[in-house]
Amino acid sequence: MNFILLAIVAYLIGSIPFGLIVGKIGYNTDIREHGSGNLGGTNTFRVLGIKAGIIVTAGDILKGTLATQLPILVGNDSVNPLIIGVFAVIGHMYPIFAKFKGGKAVATSGGIILGVSPLLFLIILLTFFIVLYITKYVSISSMVTGVITVITSIIMQDIGLIIITSILTLFVFYRHRTNIKRIINKTEPKIKWM
Ligand code: G3P
């Protein structure tokens, strides 16, 4: 399978709207009409509770991980798995199966990291929960974790990882525009379960 086909398949995998599927099938609820209106794991936790939140977050992570494994799965390891992973994140943010209104790039980006460096994934997971414990804001934890991931990639001196984590972190900041406004206006909701 060539690069373009791999990118399309990764985009379609990323487009699977787990938040919508779990909400509609399991709870007869469209999470886009509740909470922050976002299709991601955080809003699923907020609107549908812990079980649905874990399923959606795991599904969104796995989309990124699966995308990074596609080149190997189809026997074309000349294609960079990180680049294919980015197409899954684009699908997650702008899903063809959900009117192009998707998530905020966090979980699926994490899935890419899990696919290429489980150790870095552990570091970012730890960072995320430490910042969340301190601030109680998922949005701030997501953005800070993005920055820490870039810094860690620089320390690892891995140029591919530096470029891709920088792009992913820019996606994360761009998709958190409304959160940033709410943080400035002091209207961003804190989590209640930590
Ligand atoms: O991963 C998304 C999170 O950082 C913010 O989600 O629903 O609070 O806008 P939400």
Side-chain angles (χ1 to χ4, degrees):
M1 206 184 274
N2 66 20
F3 174 81
I4 293 176
L5 263 180
L6 281 169
I8 292 171
V9 173
Y11 169 78
L12 293 175
I13 291 171
S15 284
I16 300 170
F18 281 112
L20 198 59
I21 293 168
V22 171
K24 285 209 165 173
I25 292 176
Y27 301 79
N28 201 19
T29 301
D30 185 339
I31 63 162
R32 294 170 302 182
E33 293 165 4
H34 302 274
S36 68
N38 188 43
L39 210 48
T42 306
N43 202 36
T44 309
F45 271 106
R46 188 181 288 127
V47 176
L48 302 177
I50 188 157
K51 195 171 128 197
I54 289 173
I55 294 170
V56 170
T57 304
D60 287 348
I61 291 173
L62 284 178
K63 292 192 297 189
T65 309
L66 178 60
T68 62
Q69 304 308 306
L70 280 179
I72 293 172
L73 288 175
V74 300
N76 185 359
D77 54 10
S78 63
V79 176
N80 189 327
L82 283 167
I83 298 175
I84 297 303
V86 170
F87 285 92
V89 176
I90 294 172
H92 176 69
M93 295 188 295
Y94 305 103
I96 193 165
F97 307 127
K99 295 183 182 160
F100 301 99
K101 284 186 182 164
K104 297 191 177 178
V106 180
T108 308
S109 295
I112 297 178
I113 305 298
L114 176 63
V116 297
S117 173
L119 179 66
L120 181 57
F121 180 76
L122 276 182
I123 293 170
I124 64 174
L125 206 59
L126 205 62
T127 306
F128 179 86
F129 281 109
I130 290 171
V131 180
L132 186 60
Y133 183 74
I134 295 168
T135 66
K136 313 282 188 239
Y137 290 111
V138 179
S139 52
I140 291 182
S141 307
S142 302
M143 290 183 277
V144 170
T145 302
V147 174
I148 299 286
T149 310
V150 175
I151 293 170
T152 311
S153 307
I154 293 169
I155 293 168
M156 289 166 75
Q157 298 186 333
D158 183 327
I159 187 72
L161 211 50
I162 294 169
I163 294 169
I164 297 298
T165 56
S166 299
I167 292 170
L168 295 174
T169 301
L170 285 176
F171 284 166
V172 168
F173 273 78
Y174 180 71
R175 295 293 288 175
H176 280 78
R177 298 185 313 281
T178 51
N179 301 81
I180 292 168
K181 277 184 202 149
R182 286 199 295 263
I183 291 164
I184 292 168
N185 296 334
K186 297 190 176 20
T187 53
E188 177 76 339
K190 289 188 176 187
I191 56 153
K192 298 182 180 98
W193 43 270
M194 206 180 209

